[in-house]
Amino acid sequence: MGTSLSVVVIADDLTGAADTGVQFCPAVGPVALLDTIPQGCDGLPTGLAISTNSRRLSPDSAARAVRTAVIQALPWSPGLIYKKIDSCLRGNLGDEIEALLAATGSPAAFVAPAYPEQGRTTEAGIHLINGRPVAETEIGRDPRAPLTTSDLAHLLSGQCRLGIGSVGVDLLEGADEPLIDAIRSHLDKQRRLIVFDVHQRCHLDRIAILAVGNFPAVVPVGSAGLAGSLARLMAPERLHPPAALRPIDSWLFICGSASQTLAAQVARLVQATDWPQLRIGAAELATGWPTNVLEQGQKLFEETGHKGLIISIEPGDGCRPPADPQQVVLGLAGIGAELAGRLHPDGLFLCGGDTAEAFRRRVKATGLLLREQPAAGLVRGEFIGGTCADRSVVTKAGGFGDEETLIGLVNRCAP
């Protein structure tokens, strides 16, 4: 590939890096997801997604992780650096964007976390999920990091020291000159974060045109939604056909997200397939594996004719003190890795960025080669190295999709 990359995506968790990185695959060619760029490597794909695993870190630690990722990426002369943020506004958004601008020397960032196809929009500065302010949804009740505001500019101003300007859909839907003048006015006033209202895909397309055509020094910041608009704009004539992928006849689902959306999807999958769901208590996961859990999982898998097994965290009863979330994730990933080694399923499904990253480390994979997007929010690829290098792996952020998403995935990948 030479000494340059077409695109580098920097995301704060593994599922987000995968979901965003795969958007660029059809346009620029193969994209790999790594947590660090191998030193002296000259065989990288044409695109790279880096997971800083910083969503749950302190603001200072998250900023340092982003600076490290940028320092690693710049020697490869990327044609585009894209900062992926959560479409539900979780994490250290302001701190990470500020660190990115400082490390790249970029004058400003265009910030648009909306993803209209998944119900994420920004209207009059308020970020919404299916029409509800995001802080009033289950995201606002996240026990680890509850979101307290749905106002995008207010959220960013509380997390960084940069001036903030806003652009409404009236300007995005209007003529070029007033829109460009408004953005230049913000920049002249040292407003380095320009946040956009977005109601529809066409608004993201317009932001992508601004970023590539009018303000190429500005860093685009958003979810997988804006990434898709940029990818189509970057190289529409070079769209690569999807790779021919092996069918998946047997599955191990490892569900580490507490999302109600995922719970409904799993329930529908169980209803449609009659696959067993092995639920393990959070306290048990945090303090040690339950006795015979591996044998139990293997028996349940064999009873399905080696077709499918779902492992997940048992919902708490509200009476016990909460377990250490990180230890719970590590416990679930450890059981999943052991079962993957015993059961040898064709496909692995990993939901929840922390769980996916913990599983990757447990199986000693150095990264993920992204292949396709079976549906919005789902990414299919293969691990690079490690004990599961020969398996297909699908990642998913917890809150994406409808009740048919998982059964649709299984049907789509079936022989």
Side-chain angles (χ1 to χ4, degrees):
M1 65 145 226
T3 59
S4 65
L5 292 166
S6 295
V7 62
V8 169
V9 173
I10 299 176
D12 66 355
D13 78 339
L14 187 144
T15 57
D19 189 26
T20 307
V22 78
Q23 302 294 321
F24 293 98
C25 289
V28 305
V31 175
L33 193 164
L34 304 170
D35 55 356
T36 59
I37 301 175
Q39 296 300 311
C41 178
D42 58 3
L44 286 173
T46 54
L48 188 68
I50 302 173
S51 172
T52 56
N53 304 307
S54 52
R55 181 173 297 177
R56 306 293 187 182
L57 297 181
S58 69
D60 287 345
S61 296
R64 282 195 298 271
V66 169
R67 282 194 294 271
T68 299
V70 173
I71 290 168
Q72 288 184 321
L74 286 179
W76 295 89
S77 304
L80 172 73
I81 292 181
Y82 184 83
K83 178 65 181 83
K84 192 274 178 184
I85 58 174
D86 182 38
S87 66
C88 297
L89 308 187
R90 292 170 296 183
N92 301 287
L93 279 63
D95 304 277
E96 295 196 5
I97 299 170
E98 186 172 16
L100 182 71
L101 294 184
T104 60
S106 299
F110 287 166
V111 184
Y115 196 164
E117 293 84 351
Q118 289 296 313
R120 277 77 162 154
T121 58
T122 309
E123 304 182 18
I126 303 300
H127 198 63
L128 309 173
I129 297 182
N130 297 320
R132 293 179 61 197
V134 61
E136 298 177 12
T137 70
E138 63 177 324
I139 305 302
R141 301 186 297 274
D142 185 333
R144 296 181 68 180
L147 195 68
T148 59
T149 180
S150 305
D151 187 314
L152 178 56
H154 180 71
L155 176 72
L156 291 170
S157 67
Q159 296 181 347
C160 70
R161 298 160 293 181
L162 302 178
I164 300 173
S166 61
V167 174
V169 295
D170 54 335
L171 284 169
L172 284 176
E173 294 176 351
D176 286 344
E177 187 173 351
L179 172 59
I180 293 171
D181 286 348
I183 293 172
R184 285 177 176 159
S185 176
H186 285 313
L187 297 178
D188 289 343
K189 296 173 182 176
Q190 297 300 306
R191 296 169 182 164
R192 300 184 64 196
L193 301 186
I194 313 299
V195 301
F196 290 83
D197 280 354
V198 171
H199 302 178
Q200 305 171 46
R201 168 59 58 178
C202 62
H203 299 145
L204 291 176
D205 292 342
R206 190 76 184 277
I207 297 166
I209 292 170
L210 288 167
V212 172
N214 302 103
F215 299 93
V218 168
V219 175
V221 177
S223 67
L226 179 58
S229 292
L230 282 164
R232 285 186 289 273
L233 181 65
M234 286 171 61
E237 76 285 355
R238 293 168 51 202
L239 292 178
H240 292 248
L245 300 175
R246 293 176 298 174
I248 299 175
D249 191 38
S250 59
W251 285 93
L252 175 61
F253 279 70
I254 303 168
C255 302
S257 169
S259 165
Q260 296 172 2
T261 299
L262 175 65
Q265 293 165 347
V266 169
R268 176 71 181 98
L269 178 64
V270 170
Q271 179 189 46
T273 63
D274 205 28
W275 291 349
Q277 182 177 6
L278 179 59
R279 295 187 179 94
I280 308 167
E284 293 175 299
L285 289 169
T287 58
W289 295 351
T291 305
N292 297 327
V293 67
L294 299 180
E295 290 75 12
Q296 185 181 1
Q298 184 169 350
K299 179 181 178 181
L300 291 171
F301 184 72
E302 291 170 351
E303 288 175 353
T304 69
H306 300 88
K307 290 297 184 181
L309 173 66
I310 303 158
I311 64 172
S312 59
I313 303 169
E314 180 74 45
D317 59 13
C319 297
R320 297 181 182 180
D324 181 340
Q326 185 59 28
Q327 291 303 314
V328 172
V329 165
L330 292 174
L332 184 68
I335 291 172
E338 291 294 325
L339 284 173
R342 288 190 179 203
L343 308 182
H344 301 287
D346 299 328
L348 299 164
F349 173 86
L350 307 174
C351 191
D354 292 346
T355 301
E357 175 61 19
F359 183 92
R360 180 191 71 80
R361 292 180 181 274
R362 184 70 185 230
V363 300
K364 297 180 170 58
T366 58
L368 183 67
L369 187 61
L370 309 178
R371 294 294 190 186
E372 68 161 357
Q373 187 181 43
L378 296 175
V379 178
R380 182 176 175 182
E382 297 96 35
F383 280 124
I384 301 170
T387 59
C388 289
D390 59 339
R391 320 285 173 81
S392 289
V393 57
V394 176
T395 66
K396 175 184 173 295
F400 278 155
D402 57 27
E403 288 192 2
E404 300 297 315
T405 294
L406 297 189
I407 187 60
L409 169 68
V410 170
N411 290 337
R412 187 182 190 279
C413 297

